[in-house]
Amino acid sequence: MTQPSASKPGTALAGVGAGSTLNEEGAAGKTTISSVVVQKVAGLATREVTGIHALGGGVSRAFGALRERIPGSGTVTTSGVTVEVGEKQAAIDLDVVVEYGARIVDVARAVRRNVIGQVEQITGLEVIEVNIAVNDIHLPDENGGETETSRVE
């Protein structure tokens, strides 16, 4: 007499987030996702939100600007993004600079929603928290934006 299996192929294990299929029982192998992958996905998802000017604090942005000038170094997509990745879950910390005039509460809510959605959809990991630190506000006249005109010629 055969008993029904506790886990069928294609169904999630107990304790795994809804829709997650990482490391299922009966799978032909194990899937691991690097923290760099989660960092990049979270960084790109953060930059997609209107009201975000940049990621990272002042020092990390300065180093990032220097690295971008070095030929062959590529762009820095993980500056301002710190993650902890387990087998089934991820926690994400973001350091952001918000555009002046944007409502910080709304921007943070949109960032959190977008990051959680993108990371969970792309990696299958459950995002348990997204902590956002707003380190600065970008003013329109900073970084070569609107230039001030002299009152005297």
Side-chain angles (χ1 to χ4, degrees), residues 46-47 51-56 61 95-99:
T46 301
R47 286 184 179 88
I52 293 293
H53 175 72
L55 281 166
R61 285 195 327 251
D95 292 325
V96 299
V97 177
V98 176
E99 292 285 346

Side-chain angles (χ1 to χ4, degrees), residues 15 21 24 30 37 57-58 60 70 89 96 110-111 118 120 122-123 125 138:
T21 58
E24 285 188 15
K30 181 178 180 180
V37 172
S60 67
I70 299 170
Q89 297 177 326
V96 299
V111 166
Q118 292 291 342
E120 287 184 349
I122 292 171
T123 67
L125 295 168
H138 179 260

Side-chain angles (χ1 to χ4, degrees), residues 77-138:
T77 57
T78 58
S79 176
V81 181
T82 307
V83 300
E84 289 182 43
V85 179
E87 287 186 28
K88 302 172 189 170
Q89 297 177 326
I92 301 167
D93 296 326
L94 302 169
D95 292 325
V96 299
V97 177
V98 176
E99 292 285 346
Y100 176 76
R103 191 163 185 254
I104 294 173
V105 173
D106 293 339
V107 172
R109 186 177 298 122
V111 166
R112 194 168 280 113
R113 183 177 25 234
N114 199 39
V115 168
I116 290 170
Q118 292 291 342
V119 171
E120 287 184 349
Q121 178 184 357
I122 292 171
T123 67
L125 295 168
E126 176 190 9
V127 178
I128 57 171
E129 67 180 6
V130 177
N131 298 312
I132 301 170
V134 179
N135 292 325
D136 200 359
I137 292 181
H138 179 260

